[in-house]
Amino acid sequence: MKQAKIWKNRQEIAFEASVYTFLALFAAVCVLPFWLVVMNSFASERNINVNGFEIVPNEFSLLAYEFLFAGEQLFRSYGVTLFVTAVGTSLAVLVSAAYAYVLAHPKIRIRGLLGFLTYFTMIFGAGLVGFYITVGKVLNLHDSIWALIFPYLLNPFYAFILVSYFRSLPFELNEAATIDGANEMTIFFRMIWPVSLPVIATVALFYALAYWNDWYLALLFIDNPDLHPLQIMIRQLLSNINAQSYIGGNAMSYAVAVPSTGLQLATVCVTIGPIVLLYPMLQKYYVKGIMLGSVKG
């Protein structure tokens, strides 16, 4: 009996060791691309051209970062992206949560119609031409920073996640608050919103990622370089580098003047920082919010 117990303990230890080993190797594989990008952003262009991407470069250089921070476009684009992400995420979460509350409210008679219209837009869209005319011509948002915010204020999929969670809350909370004299606005912000923080934080993370990584709206509606967000700045930067290298005819001589590969890596490192830091802040809400918003209802 004692030997069997010892054998069982050894099996458990071996199983746990194999699981941890597999997870460690998997984590290393996931981290390796980020490590290569960060480390080689500090490598010299000659070292990258000769040796390729190395785990630890043989020759370091800050030329790519010096070139990147030499102009003012990076700081302007950073300001635009931070404003769009902060304001857009706040407004989108507020609009989506309020709309989802209406869809989930059992006493709203037109909630079925609104739900159908919301679901319909997930399947059928107006197309690029209709979208461009609506935002650029009807709303007259061409070359306006609000053109980067308004089109993403209400995502039907995120709204349905919130609806699923709101329907899981007991309606007796609303009835008790109504008896005490509270209106729907008070009920929503004072009772529903605080108990819905996990799913709201999850949706906020989705919206923040969408706003931070978006370049499509800027490509359609923004011609003023002062309003270019980070992602369109990266696109323009890479396009200019590739075009000048192609027209110049001698890519290697151009690479000496401008560290094209190192500049691309440095730009990724500089622009990805704030959105990566957002994950630890919302991590405690993320899994709980996904489970609550997708399982219950």
Side-chain angles (χ1 to χ4, degrees):
M1 186 71 178
K2 185 176 181 180
Q3 290 181 349
K5 186 175 182 180
I6 294 175
W7 176 250
K8 185 178 180 180
N9 291 336
R10 289 179 178 177
Q11 285 183 321
E12 292 178 353
I13 293 174
F15 176 75
E16 291 180 358
S18 62
V19 170
Y20 285 128
T21 302
F22 172 77
L23 292 177
L25 293 175
F26 182 75
V29 171
C30 295
V31 172
L32 181 60
F34 295 97
W35 176 268
L36 290 176
V37 170
V38 173
M39 293 304 296
N40 286 275
S41 68
F42 293 98
S44 65
E45 192 72 11
R46 185 179 68 86
N47 185 82
I48 297 176
N49 292 332
V50 173
N51 301 322
F53 297 114
E54 298 178 307
I55 295 179
V56 180
N58 295 324
E59 185 178 340
F60 288 88
S61 173
L62 296 177
L63 183 60
Y65 286 94
E66 293 175 357
F67 187 89
L68 182 62
F69 286 100
E72 298 180 354
Q73 185 62 47
L74 176 65
F75 301 100
R76 288 197 298 263
S77 297
Y78 238 111
V80 171
T81 299
L82 288 174
F83 177 83
V84 169
T85 302
V87 176
T89 301
S90 302
L91 292 178
V93 170
L94 179 61
V95 171
S96 299
Y99 185 71
Y101 178 73
V102 173
L103 294 182
H105 202 294
K107 292 188 177 182
I108 301 297
R109 295 183 178 181
I110 62 171
R111 69 182 186 277
L113 175 61
L114 294 176
F116 169 77
L117 295 176
T118 306
Y119 180 73
F120 185 82
T121 59
M122 295 178 64
I123 304 176
F124 302 100
L128 178 59
V129 176
F131 176 69
Y132 181 82
I133 293 176
T134 300
V135 177
K137 303 300 181 181
V138 177
L139 298 179
N140 195 26
L141 294 179
H142 186 78
D143 264 344
S144 171
I145 198 170
W146 298 107
L148 307 178
I149 297 176
F150 286 163
Y152 292 157
L153 281 184
L154 181 59
N155 185 296
F157 177 73
Y158 303 154
F160 280 129
I161 292 178
L162 291 166
V163 169
S164 179
Y165 178 77
F166 289 156
R167 285 177 178 171
S168 69
L169 300 177
F171 189 67
E172 288 76 8
L173 291 174
N174 299 58
E175 293 177 340
T178 303
I179 293 175
D180 291 336
N183 56 29
E184 291 296 338
M185 191 75 68
T186 302
I187 294 174
F188 176 70
F189 284 106
R190 299 289 295 273
M191 299 185 64
I192 304 300
W193 188 279
V195 300
S196 305
L197 282 181
V199 69
I200 288 176
T202 302
V203 171
L205 178 60
F206 291 156
Y207 273 120
L209 288 174
Y211 278 114
W212 185 272
N213 294 321
D214 180 67
W215 56 269
Y216 181 66
L217 295 179
L219 185 65
L220 288 177
F221 304 113
I222 304 298
D223 295 328
N224 184 3
D226 293 340
L227 296 179
H228 279 177
L230 282 174
Q231 306 307 324
I232 202 70
M233 186 209 77
I234 296 174
R235 183 180 182 276
Q236 295 292 91
L237 179 65
L238 300 183
S239 298
N240 292 337
I241 290 176
N242 295 333
Q244 293 183 36
S245 177
Y246 176 77
I247 294 173
N250 190 345
M252 292 300 295
S253 63
Y254 178 75
V256 174
V258 178
S260 58
T261 305
L263 184 60
Q264 297 175 31
L265 300 178
T267 305
V268 172
C269 294
V270 170
T271 56
I272 201 175
I275 201 65
V276 170
L277 298 178
L278 186 64
Y279 277 96
M281 297 173 57
L282 301 178
Q283 184 179 8
K284 62 180 179 179
Y285 297 112
Y286 184 74
V287 176
K288 184 178 179 182
I290 284 291
M291 295 301 294
L292 291 174
S294 60
V295 177
K296 293 185 178 182

